[in-house]
Amino acid sequence: MPSSIANAIQERRAFLFVRGDDGFVLKPLAENGVTGVLVWVGWGTGGAPERHLPEVKRLARMVGARWLRFHSARKGWLKLAPRMGWVRQQDDADGLYVFQISL
């Protein structure tokens, strides 16, 4: 997976953003003619997802996205994500939790 992320960034199909020790990779997608952005990878110190959500939303809107989405195996997101405005979707084919925000 790391090589596919690196390739997507090099080919400008995904975009890397770093803020101090925090970072994320955003991947624009189109589904049924609607543009969205997958938060493909994220990392950071405590509170990074909440701290950077406004910036991620702004960047997604810049490419015409109508939604943001991420997938995770971490159970902690079941409580945290809804407090940040994420709505749980149907789990993906790999059994990962899926969360989405409409923009």
Side-chain angles (χ1 to χ4, degrees):
M1 177 111 133
S3 64
S4 62
I5 293 170
N7 289 340
I9 292 168
Q10 288 175 342
E11 295 169 4
R12 300 181 62 108
R13 292 180 288 114
F15 304 92
L16 170 67
F17 295 90
V18 177
R19 303 288 184 266
D21 292 334
D22 306 336
F24 44 94
V25 177
L26 303 178
K27 182 179 180 182
L29 302 171
E31 293 178 354
N32 302 318
V34 178
T35 302
V37 170
L38 176 67
V39 182
W40 203 2
V41 178
W43 67 91
T45 57
E50 206 164 6
R51 185 170 46 253
H52 298 296
L53 184 56
E55 175 75 357
V56 171
K57 285 180 175 180
R58 185 184 73 75
L59 293 168
R61 286 184 184 112
M62 287 176 64
V63 298
R66 305 290 297 171
W67 51 263
L68 280 171
R69 183 183 302 147
F70 76 93
H71 301 231
S72 179
R74 296 186 62 166
K75 280 191 157 196
W77 283 114
L78 294 172
K79 286 186 180 180
L80 180 61
R83 285 187 275 176
M84 295 172 46
W86 297 92
V87 177
R88 186 169 177 198
Q89 308 294 301
Q90 183 175 347
D91 293 354
D92 69 14
D94 296 322
L96 298 175
Y97 304 120
V98 179
F99 297 93
Q100 185 167 307
I101 287 181
S102 295
L103 301 175

